[in-house]
PDB file of all heavy atoms in Angstrom:
ATOM      1  N   PRO C  12     -15.147   3.554   1.385  1.00 89.00           N
ATOM      2  CA  PRO C  12     -16.579   4.024   1.673  1.00 89.00           C
ATOM      3  C   PRO C  12     -17.565   2.915   1.288  1.00 89.00           C
ATOM      4  O   PRO C  12     -18.643   2.901   1.839  1.00 89.00           O
ATOM      5  CB  PRO C  12     -16.672   5.237   0.793  1.00 89.00           C
ATOM      6  CG  PRO C  12     -15.316   5.686   0.583  1.00 89.00           C
ATOM      7  CD  PRO C  12     -14.411   4.484   0.532  1.00 89.00           C
ATOM      8  N   ASP C  13     -17.303   2.067   0.302  1.00 88.00           N
ATOM      9  CA  ASP C  13     -18.285   1.164  -0.189  1.00 88.00           C
ATOM     10  C   ASP C  13     -18.021  -0.242   0.240  1.00 88.00           C
ATOM     11  O   ASP C  13     -18.654  -1.217  -0.208  1.00 88.00           O
ATOM     12  CB  ASP C  13     -18.381   1.196  -1.729  1.00 88.00           C
ATOM     13  CG  ASP C  13     -18.755   2.563  -2.222  1.00 88.00           C
ATOM     14  OD1 ASP C  13     -19.564   3.288  -1.560  1.00 88.00           O
ATOM     15  OD2 ASP C  13     -18.221   3.033  -3.231  1.00 88.00           O
ATOM     16  N   GLU C  14     -17.071  -0.516   1.191  1.00 91.00           N
ATOM     17  CA  GLU C  14     -16.685  -1.788   1.597  1.00 91.00           C
ATOM     18  C   GLU C  14     -17.465  -2.234   2.822  1.00 91.00           C
ATOM     19  O   GLU C  14     -17.946  -1.414   3.517  1.00 91.00           O
ATOM     20  CB  GLU C  14     -15.199  -1.918   1.822  1.00 91.00           C
ATOM     21  CG  GLU C  14     -14.356  -1.585   0.529  1.00 91.00           C
ATOM     22  CD  GLU C  14     -14.630  -2.528  -0.569  1.00 91.00           C
ATOM     23  OE1 GLU C  14     -15.032  -3.678  -0.384  1.00 91.00           O
ATOM     24  OE2 GLU C  14     -14.312  -2.149  -1.787  1.00 91.00           O
ATOM     25  N   GLU C  15     -17.372  -3.513   3.138  1.00 92.00           N
ATOM     26  CA  GLU C  15     -18.030  -4.076   4.322  1.00 92.00           C
ATOM     27  C   GLU C  15     -17.388  -3.622   5.663  1.00 92.00           C
ATOM     28  O   GLU C  15     -16.169  -3.592   5.717  1.00 92.00           O
ATOM     29  CB  GLU C  15     -18.011  -5.585   4.238  1.00 92.00           C
ATOM     30  CG  GLU C  15     -18.697  -6.339   5.352  1.00 92.00           C
ATOM     31  CD  GLU C  15     -18.561  -7.798   5.297  1.00 92.00           C
ATOM     32  OE1 GLU C  15     -17.915  -8.304   4.366  1.00 92.00           O
ATOM     33  OE2 GLU C  15     -19.011  -8.496   6.207  1.00 92.00           O
ATOM     34  N   SER C  16     -18.229  -3.332   6.609  1.00 95.00           N
ATOM     35  CA  SER C  16     -17.681  -2.975   7.920  1.00 95.00           C
ATOM     36  C   SER C  16     -17.444  -4.225   8.693  1.00 95.00           C
ATOM     37  O   SER C  16     -18.415  -5.032   8.840  1.00 95.00           O
ATOM     38  CB  SER C  16     -18.597  -2.011   8.684  1.00 95.00           C
ATOM     39  OG  SER C  16     -18.170  -1.689   9.901  1.00 95.00           O
ATOM     40  N   VAL C  17     -16.337  -4.483   9.303  1.00 97.00           N
ATOM     41  CA  VAL C  17     -16.007  -5.675   9.987  1.00 97.00           C
ATOM     42  C   VAL C  17     -15.351  -5.409  11.259  1.00 97.00           C
ATOM     43  O   VAL C  17     -14.904  -4.266  11.659  1.00 97.00           O
ATOM     44  CB  VAL C  17     -15.020  -6.516   9.110  1.00 97.00           C
ATOM     45  CG1 VAL C  17     -15.683  -7.057   7.969  1.00 97.00           C
ATOM     46  CG2 VAL C  17     -13.768  -5.731   8.758  1.00 97.00           C
ATOM     47  N   THR C  18     -15.282  -6.412  12.135  1.00 97.00           N
ATOM     48  CA  THR C  18     -14.672  -6.276  13.528  1.00 97.00           C
ATOM     49  C   THR C  18     -13.122  -6.350  13.452  1.00 97.00           C
ATOM     50  O   THR C  18     -12.565  -6.337  12.352  1.00 97.00           O
ATOM     51  CB  THR C  18     -15.149  -7.427  14.362  1.00 97.00           C
ATOM     52  OG1 THR C  18     -14.681  -8.645  13.900  1.00 97.00           O
ATOM     53  CG2 THR C  18     -16.668  -7.485  14.461  1.00 97.00           C
ATOM     54  N   ALA C  19     -12.565  -6.268  14.572  1.00 98.00           N
ATOM     55  CA  ALA C  19     -11.061  -6.289  14.698  1.00 98.00           C
ATOM     56  C   ALA C  19     -10.379  -7.486  13.980  1.00 98.00           C
ATOM     57  O   ALA C  19      -9.203  -7.439  13.624  1.00 98.00           O
ATOM     58  CB  ALA C  19     -10.633  -6.178  16.124  1.00 98.00           C
ATOM     59  N   ASP C  20     -11.144  -8.654  13.848  1.00 98.00           N
ATOM     60  CA  ASP C  20     -10.583  -9.771  13.164  1.00 98.00           C
ATOM     61  C   ASP C  20     -10.458  -9.597  11.631  1.00 98.00           C
ATOM     62  O   ASP C  20      -9.875 -10.389  10.897  1.00 98.00           O
ATOM     63  CB  ASP C  20     -11.430 -10.992  13.529  1.00 98.00           C
ATOM     64  CG  ASP C  20     -11.009 -11.609  14.867  1.00 98.00           C
ATOM     65  OD1 ASP C  20      -9.881 -11.359  15.333  1.00 98.00           O
ATOM     66  OD2 ASP C  20     -11.863 -12.383  15.388  1.00 98.00           O
ATOM     67  N   GLY C  21     -11.186  -8.498  11.078  1.00 97.00           N
ATOM     68  CA  GLY C  21     -11.132  -8.222   9.700  1.00 97.00           C
ATOM     69  C   GLY C  21     -12.102  -9.109   8.861  1.00 97.00           C
ATOM     70  O   GLY C  21     -12.823  -9.945   9.380  1.00 97.00           O
ATOM     71  N   ASN C  22     -12.035  -8.967   7.556  1.00 97.00           N
ATOM     72  CA  ASN C  22     -12.830  -9.737   6.709  1.00 97.00           C
ATOM     73  C   ASN C  22     -12.025 -10.958   6.365  1.00 97.00           C
ATOM     74  O   ASN C  22     -11.137 -10.996   5.541  1.00 97.00           O
ATOM     75  CB  ASN C  22     -13.089  -8.913   5.359  1.00 97.00           C
ATOM     76  CG  ASN C  22     -14.034  -9.638   4.419  1.00 97.00           C
ATOM     77  OD1 ASN C  22     -14.274 -10.873   4.528  1.00 97.00           O
ATOM     78  ND2 ASN C  22     -14.483  -9.031   3.393  1.00 97.00           N
ATOM     79  N   THR C  23     -12.412 -12.019   6.959  1.00 96.00           N
ATOM     80  CA  THR C  23     -11.626 -13.352   6.907  1.00 96.00           C
ATOM     81  C   THR C  23     -11.815 -13.988   5.507  1.00 96.00           C
ATOM     82  O   THR C  23     -11.027 -14.973   5.266  1.00 96.00           O
ATOM     83  CB  THR C  23     -12.005 -14.276   8.059  1.00 96.00           C
ATOM     84  OG1 THR C  23     -13.449 -14.547   7.918  1.00 96.00           O
ATOM     85  CG2 THR C  23     -11.661 -13.747   9.423  1.00 96.00           C
ATOM     86  N   ASN C  24     -12.713 -13.485   4.693  1.00 96.00           N
ATOM     87  CA  ASN C  24     -12.871 -14.015   3.382  1.00 96.00           C
ATOM     88  C   ASN C  24     -11.941 -13.373   2.359  1.00 96.00           C
ATOM     89  O   ASN C  24     -11.962 -13.565   1.127  1.00 96.00           O
ATOM     90  CB  ASN C  24     -14.296 -13.920   2.848  1.00 96.00           C
ATOM     91  CG  ASN C  24     -15.179 -14.793   3.666  1.00 96.00           C
ATOM     92  OD1 ASN C  24     -14.990 -15.878   4.014  1.00 96.00           O
ATOM     93  ND2 ASN C  24     -16.412 -14.204   4.102  1.00 96.00           N
ATOM     94  N   TRP C  25     -11.191 -12.364   2.800  1.00 97.00           N
ATOM     95  CA  TRP C  25     -10.382 -11.561   1.940  1.00 97.00           C
ATOM     96  C   TRP C  25      -9.014 -11.362   2.654  1.00 97.00           C
ATOM     97  O   TRP C  25      -8.826 -10.478   3.437  1.00 97.00           O
ATOM     98  CB  TRP C  25     -10.994 -10.145   1.685  1.00 97.00           C
ATOM     99  CG  TRP C  25     -10.251  -9.335   0.601  1.00 97.00           C
ATOM    100  CD1 TRP C  25      -9.179  -9.601   0.082  1.00 97.00           C
ATOM    101  CD2 TRP C  25     -10.716  -7.988   0.158  1.00 97.00           C
ATOM    102  NE1 TRP C  25      -8.753  -8.537  -0.783  1.00 97.00           N
ATOM    103  CE2 TRP C  25      -9.735  -7.565  -0.733  1.00 97.00           C
ATOM    104  CE3 TRP C  25     -11.865  -7.245   0.451  1.00 97.00           C
ATOM    105  CZ2 TRP C  25      -9.824  -6.388  -1.404  1.00 97.00           C
ATOM    106  CZ3 TRP C  25     -11.938  -6.042  -0.230  1.00 97.00           C
ATOM    107  CH2 TRP C  25     -10.956  -5.613  -1.175  1.00 97.00           C
ATOM    108  N   VAL C  26      -8.046 -12.177   2.351  1.00 98.00           N
ATOM    109  CA  VAL C  26      -6.713 -12.139   2.889  1.00 98.00           C
ATOM    110  C   VAL C  26      -5.760 -11.633   1.903  1.00 98.00           C
ATOM    111  O   VAL C  26      -5.806 -11.975   0.750  1.00 98.00           O
ATOM    112  CB  VAL C  26      -6.238 -13.484   3.285  1.00 98.00           C
ATOM    113  CG1 VAL C  26      -4.812 -13.494   3.870  1.00 98.00           C
ATOM    114  CG2 VAL C  26      -7.213 -14.135   4.430  1.00 98.00           C
ATOM    115  N   LEU C  27      -4.924 -10.625   2.267  1.00 97.00           N
ATOM    116  CA  LEU C  27      -3.937 -10.047   1.393  1.00 97.00           C
ATOM    117  C   LEU C  27      -2.661  -9.677   2.068  1.00 97.00           C
ATOM    118  O   LEU C  27      -2.562  -9.743   3.200  1.00 97.00           O
ATOM    119  CB  LEU C  27      -4.616  -8.867   0.706  1.00 97.00           C
ATOM    120  CG  LEU C  27      -4.716  -7.588   1.479  1.00 97.00           C
ATOM    121  CD1 LEU C  27      -5.180  -6.370   0.609  1.00 97.00           C
ATOM    122  CD2 LEU C  27      -5.654  -7.687   2.730  1.00 97.00           C
ATOM    123  N   GLY C  28      -1.716  -9.236   1.270  1.00 97.00           N
ATOM    124  CA  GLY C  28      -0.462  -8.667   1.839  1.00 97.00           C
ATOM    125  C   GLY C  28      -0.342  -7.266   1.379  1.00 97.00           C
ATOM    126  O   GLY C  28      -1.091  -6.720   0.585  1.00 97.00           O
ATOM    127  N   ASN C  29       0.747  -6.648   1.844  1.00 96.00           N
ATOM    128  CA  ASN C  29       0.968  -5.209   1.450  1.00 96.00           C
ATOM    129  C   ASN C  29       1.448  -5.226   0.047  1.00 96.00           C
ATOM    130  O   ASN C  29       2.363  -6.005  -0.347  1.00 96.00           O
ATOM    131  CB  ASN C  29       2.034  -4.586   2.357  1.00 96.00           C
ATOM    132  CG  ASN C  29       2.412  -3.215   2.019  1.00 96.00           C
ATOM    133  OD1 ASN C  29       1.607  -2.495   1.436  1.00 96.00           O
ATOM    134  ND2 ASN C  29       3.636  -2.764   2.488  1.00 96.00           N
ATOM    135  N   ASP C  30       0.837  -4.412  -0.827  1.00 93.00           N
ATOM    136  CA  ASP C  30       1.246  -4.417  -2.257  1.00 93.00           C
ATOM    137  C   ASP C  30       2.762  -4.057  -2.351  1.00 93.00           C
ATOM    138  O   ASP C  30       3.359  -4.486  -3.396  1.00 93.00           O
ATOM    139  CB  ASP C  30       0.477  -3.335  -3.040  1.00 93.00           C
ATOM    140  CG  ASP C  30      -0.935  -3.975  -3.438  1.00 93.00           C
ATOM    141  OD1 ASP C  30      -1.352  -4.976  -2.784  1.00 93.00           O
ATOM    142  OD2 ASP C  30      -1.659  -3.338  -4.257  1.00 93.00           O
ATOM    143  N   ALA C  31       3.270  -3.305  -1.451  1.00 93.00           N
ATOM    144  CA  ALA C  31       4.734  -2.991  -1.605  1.00 93.00           C
ATOM    145  C   ALA C  31       5.647  -4.092  -0.953  1.00 93.00           C
ATOM    146  O   ALA C  31       6.826  -3.922  -1.037  1.00 93.00           O
ATOM    147  CB  ALA C  31       5.013  -1.690  -0.772  1.00 93.00           C
ATOM    148  N   GLY C  32       5.042  -5.056  -0.411  1.00 95.00           N
ATOM    149  CA  GLY C  32       5.825  -6.151   0.227  1.00 95.00           C
ATOM    150  C   GLY C  32       6.450  -5.573   1.531  1.00 95.00           C
ATOM    151  O   GLY C  32       5.843  -4.820   2.236  1.00 95.00           O
ATOM    152  N   ALA C  33       7.661  -6.075   1.739  1.00 97.00           N
ATOM    153  CA  ALA C  33       8.444  -5.547   2.892  1.00 97.00           C
ATOM    154  C   ALA C  33       8.720  -4.056   2.563  1.00 97.00           C
ATOM    155  O   ALA C  33       9.181  -3.756   1.463  1.00 97.00           O
ATOM    156  CB  ALA C  33       9.662  -6.340   3.033  1.00 97.00           C
ATOM    157  N   GLU C  34       8.443  -3.157   3.558  1.00 96.00           N
ATOM    158  CA  GLU C  34       8.518  -1.746   3.321  1.00 96.00           C
ATOM    159  C   GLU C  34       8.987  -1.012   4.587  1.00 96.00           C
ATOM    160  O   GLU C  34       8.616  -1.353   5.676  1.00 96.00           O
ATOM    161  CB  GLU C  34       7.219  -1.207   2.851  1.00 96.00           C
ATOM    162  CG  GLU C  34       7.134   0.152   2.396  1.00 96.00           C
ATOM    163  CD  GLU C  34       5.827   0.578   1.907  1.00 96.00           C
ATOM    164  OE1 GLU C  34       4.743   0.005   2.326  1.00 96.00           O
ATOM    165  OE2 GLU C  34       5.745   1.595   1.177  1.00 96.00           O
ATOM    166  N   HIS C  35       9.975  -0.063   4.390  1.00 97.00           N
ATOM    167  CA  HIS C  35      10.421   0.743   5.470  1.00 97.00           C
ATOM    168  C   HIS C  35      11.061  -0.103   6.583  1.00 97.00           C
ATOM    169  O   HIS C  35      10.738   0.202   7.791  1.00 97.00           O
ATOM    170  CB  HIS C  35       9.412   1.771   5.969  1.00 97.00           C
ATOM    171  CG  HIS C  35       8.886   2.691   4.949  1.00 97.00           C
ATOM    172  ND1 HIS C  35       9.760   3.350   4.094  1.00 97.00           N
ATOM    173  CD2 HIS C  35       7.648   3.134   4.550  1.00 97.00           C
ATOM    174  CE1 HIS C  35       9.136   4.215   3.340  1.00 97.00           C
ATOM    175  NE2 HIS C  35       7.817   3.985   3.607  1.00 97.00           N
ATOM    176  N   GLY C  36      11.817  -1.121   6.200  1.00 97.00           N
ATOM    177  CA  GLY C  36      12.495  -1.854   7.213  1.00 97.00           C
ATOM    178  C   GLY C  36      11.532  -2.953   7.938  1.00 97.00           C
ATOM    179  O   GLY C  36      12.055  -3.591   8.923  1.00 97.00           O
ATOM    180  N   LYS C  37      10.352  -3.064   7.449  1.00 98.00           N
ATOM    181  CA  LYS C  37       9.452  -4.015   8.181  1.00 98.00           C
ATOM    182  C   LYS C  37       9.029  -5.112   7.226  1.00 98.00           C
ATOM    183  O   LYS C  37       8.954  -4.876   5.986  1.00 98.00           O
ATOM    184  CB  LYS C  37       8.147  -3.204   8.609  1.00 98.00           C
ATOM    185  CG  LYS C  37       8.506  -2.026   9.543  1.00 98.00           C
ATOM    186  CD  LYS C  37       7.308  -1.184   9.746  1.00 98.00           C
ATOM    187  CE  LYS C  37       7.625   0.115  10.377  1.00 98.00           C
ATOM    188  NZ  LYS C  37       8.277   1.081   9.393  1.00 98.00           N
ATOM    189  N   SER C  38       8.718  -6.313   7.750  1.00 98.00           N
ATOM    190  CA  SER C  38       8.384  -7.392   6.869  1.00 98.00           C
ATOM    191  C   SER C  38       7.003  -7.142   6.249  1.00 98.00           C
ATOM    192  O   SER C  38       6.205  -6.349   6.659  1.00 98.00           O
ATOM    193  CB  SER C  38       8.305  -8.767   7.781  1.00 98.00           C
ATOM    194  OG  SER C  38       7.211  -8.570   8.602  1.00 98.00           O
ATOM    195  N   ASN C  39       6.793  -8.052   5.281  1.00 98.00           N
ATOM    196  CA  ASN C  39       5.387  -8.101   4.687  1.00 98.00           C
ATOM    197  C   ASN C  39       4.505  -8.913   5.719  1.00 98.00           C
ATOM    198  O   ASN C  39       5.061  -9.481   6.636  1.00 98.00           O
ATOM    199  CB  ASN C  39       5.470  -8.718   3.319  1.00 98.00           C
ATOM    200  CG  ASN C  39       4.171  -8.573   2.551  1.00 98.00           C
ATOM    201  OD1 ASN C  39       3.177  -7.852   2.963  1.00 98.00           O
ATOM    202  ND2 ASN C  39       4.081  -9.023   1.338  1.00 98.00           N
ATOM    203  N   LEU C  40       3.200  -9.027   5.372  1.00 98.00           N
ATOM    204  CA  LEU C  40       2.314  -9.736   6.252  1.00 98.00           C
ATOM    205  C   LEU C  40       1.113 -10.166   5.388  1.00 98.00           C
ATOM    206  O   LEU C  40       0.641  -9.382   4.564  1.00 98.00           O
ATOM    207  CB  LEU C  40       1.827  -8.884   7.359  1.00 98.00           C
ATOM    208  CG  LEU C  40       0.718  -9.421   8.235  1.00 98.00           C
ATOM    209  CD1 LEU C  40       1.209 -10.643   9.122  1.00 98.00           C
ATOM    210  CD2 LEU C  40       0.095  -8.417   9.222  1.00 98.00           C
ATOM    211  N   TYR C  41       0.662 -11.397   5.688  1.00 98.00           N
ATOM    212  CA  TYR C  41      -0.600 -11.823   5.017  1.00 98.00           C
ATOM    213  C   TYR C  41      -1.663 -12.087   6.160  1.00 98.00           C
ATOM    214  O   TYR C  41      -1.490 -12.821   7.081  1.00 98.00           O
ATOM    215  CB  TYR C  41      -0.438 -13.163   4.279  1.00 98.00           C
ATOM    216  CG  TYR C  41       0.428 -12.969   3.095  1.00 98.00           C
ATOM    217  CD1 TYR C  41       1.746 -13.339   3.072  1.00 98.00           C
ATOM    218  CD2 TYR C  41      -0.165 -12.484   1.862  1.00 98.00           C
ATOM    219  CE1 TYR C  41       2.548 -13.077   1.924  1.00 98.00           C
ATOM    220  CE2 TYR C  41       0.746 -12.193   0.807  1.00 98.00           C
ATOM    221  CZ  TYR C  41       2.015 -12.462   0.836  1.00 98.00           C
ATOM    222  OH  TYR C  41       2.769 -12.315  -0.369  1.00 98.00           O
ATOM    223  N   ALA C  42      -2.746 -11.254   6.033  1.00 98.00           N
ATOM    224  CA  ALA C  42      -3.828 -11.256   7.145  1.00 98.00           C
ATOM    225  C   ALA C  42      -5.085 -10.701   6.500  1.00 98.00           C
ATOM    226  O   ALA C  42      -5.095 -10.134   5.434  1.00 98.00           O
ATOM    227  CB  ALA C  42      -3.326 -10.365   8.306  1.00 98.00           C
ATOM    228  N   PRO C  43      -6.201 -10.985   7.169  1.00 98.00           N
ATOM    229  CA  PRO C  43      -7.514 -10.530   6.677  1.00 98.00           C
ATOM    230  C   PRO C  43      -7.501  -8.978   6.614  1.00 98.00           C
ATOM    231  O   PRO C  43      -7.020  -8.269   7.413  1.00 98.00           O
ATOM    232  CB  PRO C  43      -8.567 -10.951   7.674  1.00 98.00           C
ATOM    233  CG  PRO C  43      -7.837 -12.148   8.299  1.00 98.00           C
ATOM    234  CD  PRO C  43      -6.391 -11.846   8.391  1.00 98.00           C
TER     235      PRO C  43
END
């Protein structure tokens, strides 16, 4: 609710991965 609204490219100043890492048979990912 209190975060910045961004386009489909996401917030390019904040890149992260899934906290659970690879999960449910799927790889992790680092993206905005």
Side-chain angles (χ1 to χ4, degrees):
D13 300 322
E14 301 296 342
E15 180 183 1
S16 180
V17 292
T18 66
D20 280 339
N22 184 348
T23 56
N24 295 317
W25 185 358
V26 175
L27 76 171
N29 182 22
D30 279 15
E34 189 177 19
H35 297 314
K37 308 172 191 71
S38 71
N39 196 3
L40 172 71
Y41 291 100

